[in-house]
Amino acid sequence: PEEARGNVWDIAKKPQKGHFERDLYKYLWGSFKPERIFSVNQIHPRNTPLEVSLLIQDPHNTRQVRYNVRQRTSDLDSFVYNVSDGHSYWRQTVREDCLALSTTLKRFNFSGEYQTWSASVKYLKDKSNTDQRCAGWAKFRSLIITSAVLQYDERTPVDHHLKITENMTEPVISVCDNNNNAKCGKLSFVLKKGANGEKIDPATAGFSYTTRTSGSESNNWQLGSLLPFEDVTAPIYGENFTKTHLMYPYGSNPQANQGLVAFQFYFPRDDDFEIEIRYVSNAEQTATPNWEYDKEATEKEIRAGFMKNFQVSENNADFECAEASLASLLGGLAYNYGPLVYSRGGMSPPLALFSGTPSRYGFHWGFLWDEGFQSALFCQHDADLCMSIIDSWFGTMESDGWIPREQTRSQEAKHSVPPQFQAQSRDEANPPTLLLPLNFLLRHHSGRPDVSVFLAGIYPKLLTWFAWFDDVQRAQAPSDGYYQWKSLRGNEFFGSGLDDYPRHDGNLIAKYHIDLQIWMLFFVDSLVSMAQVYGNGAQAETLRHRRELIASRLNDFVDPSDNLYKDILVLRQHLNDENFLFGDHKTFSPHLGIVNMFPLMFGYIKSDSPALSATLKLLGDENYLWSQFGTRSLSKSVTSNLSGEDYWRGAILINVNFLVLRGLKLYYSNNTEATRLYNALRTNVISTVCGNWKNASLFFETYNDDTCLLYTSPSPRDS
């Protein structure tokens, strides 16, 4: 066994053929700051990228502006992506107190250096609140659009700047190369009014602008305190408007090269109003796109792709919910660049991470545990996007195979997280959920040459990652093949992804974790499958030996009193004792919950085993895990249910409900009881998720097992 484990390390260190470079052009532009109300961002870690953002002037205090979705004026505010394909089109509806907007981003050219896009922010008069509470507002509204050249890394010289003219009669910005002032892109603004989108003459349109020379990242998300904006007190467009307002804070010279330019636009509240932003990367390019594209046709094409990829019909009662769930997920795509803080001191070098995110409202950066579930959908939607994200995550893997589980890389992300939660521990793992999308690619897309090249390049990185798990997460015991989450904080193992799920009983604590045992078995099984294609016979044989050892330990986790798989507990002083395994009389965890389901989730319970009947019985019992809204994370009968932080102690968590459904369908469809539970649980989960979406236009991670509503623990967390 020790020799086999050593061979895995040797395999990981050998250079392998195959690599994958993601297409920077396809994802060069997008709405990749999900925490913003609306923004258009450029992915480019080697240069200083351009960013365009929306700010809304506060209706009750016109000296304040809002840019972040957390700056809600009430709990009824919502920021919902309606349609998106993740690379060429995004549409969002914004509903705030007294204000409704529609935002869109459409990319026209995204396959080469010449890039063009159009973004729109439209004020929706008919959907904006005009009741008595809002009637006290000024008769005019104000929106601010900022354009900024970002400097993510101070070691990287600023290579672009923004230019405006002194006597500006229309809002236009040149985006120029510092090394070639004649090589410029262009941002132009088209203003429209009325239901038919009548263009407003720039000579009579109302706007003001302000500039700032600094292009540091922090200056672009702290704009509320940086930029002085005007009160909206006068008519803006029409015959009575004759001047343009100019503001030069901090002694700015409008003719100097700028790092930030902000335009403030004013419009009456009783008319539709639209700001269209048009970008071309080369102002000298004569061929320009058809800016007046057909939005309805674009969305119809995206919808057709959605129905094909996910095999769902528009006639399905929950079609709109399903479509919106993917759009919301794609609206959460994020690009962050910067260093990570280590828990034992020091920082990593600055790196980029392109990822999905769990929540625009509270967690707008990458989480390794969440990414596997998100990318499982990304892979089915768009294999290119899926590969780009997985490739980016493995780009953050350190030489020993450790991948940090929570990556607050950008200044903006760090600003949202207390310092004690930013630091990452080098011995803390997170479940290898990236195997879910990788297995999907292997099964469904390996015939594509580019996918095959990608998988061949990822395979040696997976070996390194597995070797790190196999070494660092191995339980300290005289026998090999047992695993333990090395992330104990008090009584909780946060690295497991299950946070505060109970792992102790008095002075006893779990040393052998059944969920990690299953993850490691699934990991090595996945590697065996890949080794047969991208490795060699010797590697596959070494991995099979390792698989046999890990699988042989599973029987030790079965409690003979009820035939359920459970954590094995030891006295706390034996937790890190390398000479202590367990005696003839093992102590099993008394807590019944989602952890007991892991062997079922991945098909590691034999179909004729008493453990399968026992596990299905536990799953379907309303006194334990079953509820009419989904599977509980912890049994209703357990005393620790609804106590402590109470996040994984009874609430319905959608990601593990997905894993339960996956296991029932993939591995036990020939079992009558498993099929019955699958159909009932699937109906319950869809009803819970889509029912809440229809009421709140939001998707949540957790739901209350009694009320079906968003579950809020005593220690509140955004979802």
Side-chain angles (χ1 to χ4, degrees):
E2 288 294 333
E3 181 181 354
R5 193 163 59 85
N7 286 342
V8 173
W9 274 105
D10 293 337
I11 292 170
K13 292 177 180 178
K14 291 179 181 178
Q16 304 290 326
K17 294 181 180 180
H19 69 281
F20 175 77
E21 294 181 1
R22 61 188 176 87
D23 184 357
L24 272 177
Y25 293 122
K26 184 172 181 179
Y27 304 104
L28 183 61
W29 289 96
S31 194
F32 299 141
K33 289 288 182 69
E35 69 274 19
R36 304 284 182 86
I37 294 173
F38 179 62
S39 67
V40 185
N41 325 99
Q42 186 181 18
I43 293 179
H44 217 312
R46 292 183 298 277
N47 295 328
T48 46
L50 180 68
E51 177 177 281
V52 178
S53 287
L54 166 69
L55 290 82
I56 299 174
Q57 195 165 34
D58 192 283
H60 307 295
N61 180 358
T62 54
R63 306 306 296 173
Q64 299 293 323
V65 294
R66 296 191 305 281
Y67 63 91
N68 191 300
V69 295
R70 296 195 72 175
Q71 296 172 298
R72 290 179 284 183
T73 56
S74 78
D75 291 338
L76 298 178
D77 291 355
S78 63
F79 310 89
V80 178
Y81 278 99
N82 309 100
V83 182
S84 176
D85 65 359
H87 77 275
S88 71
Y89 186 79
W90 289 257
R91 178 169 64 83
Q92 174 190 217
T93 299
V94 175
R95 296 183 186 276
E96 284 201 334
D97 193 18
C98 308
L99 183 73
L101 302 171
S102 175
T103 70
T104 59
L105 169 61
K106 168 66 175 176
R107 296 178 66 201
F108 299 95
N109 300 81
F110 46 83
S111 60
E113 290 189 9
Y114 180 55
Q115 298 271 318
T116 59
W117 52 260
S118 169
S120 167
V121 180
K122 187 173 184 179
Y123 168 72
L124 306 173
K125 177 195 67 174
D126 293 340
K127 295 183 179 180
S128 295
N129 197 339
T130 57
D131 63 18
Q132 188 62 36
R133 179 173 50 83
C134 298
W137 257 38
K139 294 182 179 180
F140 299 89
R141 301 289 187 261
S142 170
L143 298 174
I144 298 102
I145 304 294
T146 65
S147 306
V149 176
L150 303 186
Q151 186 180 16
Y152 284 130
D153 188 348
E154 293 181 356
R155 299 173 301 178
T156 302
V158 176
D159 57 8
H160 283 77
H161 63 271
L162 308 178
K163 288 201 312 185
I164 56 177
T165 57
E166 183 175 7
N167 298 313
M168 182 178 288
T169 58
E170 60 179 319
V172 176
I173 303 171
S174 296
V175 187
C176 299
D177 190 324
N178 285 352
N179 299 316
N180 183 357
N181 207 42
K183 185 180 179 182
C184 297
K186 184 174 74 172
L187 279 168
S188 58
F189 298 77
V190 178
L191 308 182
K192 303 176 184 179
K193 67 176 181 178
N196 297 323
E198 175 190 352
K199 289 186 179 179
I200 304 170
D201 185 348
T204 62
F207 65 90
S208 64
Y209 68 89
T210 182
T211 65
R212 188 171 176 85
T213 55
S214 172
S216 70
E217 185 190 1
S218 62
N219 284 341
N220 300 303
W221 51 266
Q222 295 177 334
L223 291 169
S225 60
L226 287 173
L227 300 175
F229 297 111
E230 295 192 349
D231 288 323
V232 183
T233 57
I236 297 308
Y237 58 74
E239 296 179 359
N240 296 329
F241 180 78
T242 57
K243 75 169 185 174
T244 297
H245 304 282
L246 302 178
M247 297 180 290
Y248 307 136
Y250 316 108
S252 295
N253 178 355
Q255 293 178 298
N257 296 341
Q258 306 295 335
L260 184 151
V261 177
F263 283 102
Q264 183 175 14
F265 299 97
Y266 319 93
F267 53 94
R269 71 179 184 190
D270 57 358
D271 199 359
D272 291 322
F273 180 80
E274 182 179 1
I275 306 166
E276 184 183 342
I277 308 150
R278 296 174 177 177
Y279 173 79
V280 294
S281 60
N282 183 355
E284 301 300 319
Q285 184 80 20
T286 56
T288 57
N290 177 16
W291 299 111
E292 305 298 332
Y293 67 96
D294 188 333
K295 290 184 175 66
E296 186 174 333
T298 298
E299 295 189 7
K300 185 176 180 180
E301 183 179 352
I302 292 173
R303 184 169 292 111
F306 171 76
M307 290 188 289
K308 178 182 177 181
N309 292 333
F310 292 94
Q311 300 180 354
V312 60
S313 167
E314 284 185 291
N315 297 325
N316 188 299
D318 296 301
F319 176 81
E320 290 185 4
C321 170
E323 184 181 36
S325 68
L326 182 65
S328 294
L329 196 64
L330 293 167
L333 288 170
Y335 175 79
N336 289 283
Y337 181 88
L340 282 182
V341 179
Y342 294 138
S343 61
R344 296 174 184 173
M347 302 183 78
S348 75
L351 294 171
L353 180 64
F354 181 45
S355 70
T357 56
S359 168
R360 293 180 67 191
Y361 294 91
F363 301 98
H364 48 84
W365 51 91
F367 286 76
L368 184 57
W369 154 250
D370 298 79
E371 190 63 73
F373 298 104
Q374 294 159 176
S375 287
L377 289 172
F378 292 147
C379 273
Q380 196 163 344
H381 163 68
D382 179 356
D384 292 337
L385 175 63
C386 172
M387 290 188 292
S388 294
I389 288 172
I390 295 173
D391 190 49
S392 186
W393 272 100
F394 278 99
T396 70
M397 184 173 73
E398 304 213 347
S399 59
D400 64 353
W402 174 59
I403 302 178
R405 71 176 186 88
E406 180 177 350
Q407 302 203 14
T408 51
R409 292 193 172 273
S410 69
Q411 294 181 42
E412 192 165 354
K414 288 182 173 67
H415 183 72
S416 304
V417 184
Q420 65 269 28
F421 296 114
Q422 294 178 24
Q424 296 297 294
S425 173
R426 294 183 61 86
D427 60 359
E428 186 171 66
N430 228 192
T433 56
L434 290 179
L435 296 169
L436 296 170
L438 284 168
N439 274 285
F440 181 88
L441 288 174
L442 185 64
R443 291 195 309 270
H444 297 283
H445 291 295
S446 59
R448 275 179 46 174
D450 59 330
V451 176
S452 183
V453 170
F454 167 74
L455 292 173
I458 285 293
Y459 171 67
K461 298 177 183 179
L462 280 172
L463 289 171
T464 304
W465 195 25
F466 175 77
W468 178 87
F469 262 98
D470 197 51
D471 182 64
V472 178
Q473 304 301 304
R474 183 171 63 96
Q476 292 176 296
S479 297
D480 191 13
Y482 298 96
Y483 298 95
Q484 170 197 46
W485 296 110
K486 301 296 178 63
S487 52
L488 182 62
R489 304 179 194 177
N491 291 317
E492 298 164 354
F493 294 87
F494 275 80
S496 69
L498 308 184
D499 295 9
D500 65 333
Y501 186 92
R503 302 277 190 167
H504 70 288
D505 183 29
N507 195 39
L508 296 170
I509 193 160
K511 180 170 182 173
Y512 309 97
H513 296 142
I514 182 58
D515 53 330
L516 182 53
Q517 195 77 18
I518 295 299
W519 280 120
M520 291 302 291
L521 190 52
F522 179 56
F523 204 152
V524 74
D525 269 338
S526 301
L527 286 174
V528 168
S529 298
M530 293 189 72
Q532 294 170 355
V533 182
Y534 304 109
N536 56 53
Q539 291 176 1
E541 187 64 21
T542 297
L543 290 165
R544 273 193 285 267
H545 282 307
R546 191 70 192 155
R547 187 232 182 265
E548 290 172 5
L549 176 67
I550 297 171
S552 71
R553 305 304 192 196
L554 279 185
N555 285 338
D556 288 330
F557 291 86
V558 179
D559 184 347
S561 69
D562 55 14
N563 291 316
L564 293 172
Y565 287 88
K566 299 176 181 178
D567 285 349
I568 302 173
L569 308 184
V570 299
L571 290 172
R572 195 172 291 266
Q573 62 262 34
H574 295 310
L575 184 63
N576 298 312
D577 186 348
E578 292 188 2
N579 297 314
F580 182 85
L581 182 59
F582 41 71
D584 295 333
H585 303 288
K586 295 189 289 288
T587 302
F588 294 96
S589 172
H591 309 297
L592 299 179
I594 204 66
V595 161
N596 308 100
M597 296 293 114
F598 269 80
L600 176 84
M601 295 171 182
F602 294 93
Y604 291 124
I605 308 178
K606 294 180 179 179
S607 58
D608 58 351
S609 168
L612 179 59
S613 299
T615 303
L616 293 175
K617 181 179 180 181
L618 175 66
L619 174 64
D621 195 326
E622 293 184 3
N623 294 316
Y624 293 93
L625 300 190
W626 190 267
S627 84
Q628 60 179 313
F629 308 120
T631 301
R632 297 183 177 97
S633 52
L634 191 63
S635 171
K636 193 174 183 179
S637 64
V638 176
T639 55
S640 56
N641 191 6
L642 306 179
S643 64
E645 186 188 61
D646 189 19
Y647 200 69
W648 283 88
R649 299 193 173 194
I652 295 167
L653 278 294
I654 296 302
N655 51 5
V656 288
N657 270 262
F658 159 74
L659 289 179
V660 170
L661 287 166
R662 174 187 181 277
L664 291 170
K665 184 175 179 63
L666 284 181
Y667 307 113
Y668 302 106
S669 59
N670 292 329
N671 183 293
T672 303
E673 178 62 6
T675 300
R676 184 189 70 81
L677 289 172
Y678 169 80
N679 290 328
L681 180 59
R682 183 178 183 275
T683 298
N684 290 350
V685 170
I686 291 175
S687 177
T688 296
V689 173
C690 291
N692 275 273
W693 172 77
K694 290 172 183 176
N695 292 330
S697 299
L698 292 170
F699 297 95
F700 302 111
E701 179 182 46
T702 58
Y703 296 88
N704 189 291
D705 63 320
D706 288 323
T707 67
C708 183
L709 302 177
L710 165 67
Y711 182 76
T712 304
S713 72
S715 300
R717 295 170 59 164
D718 291 290
S719 295

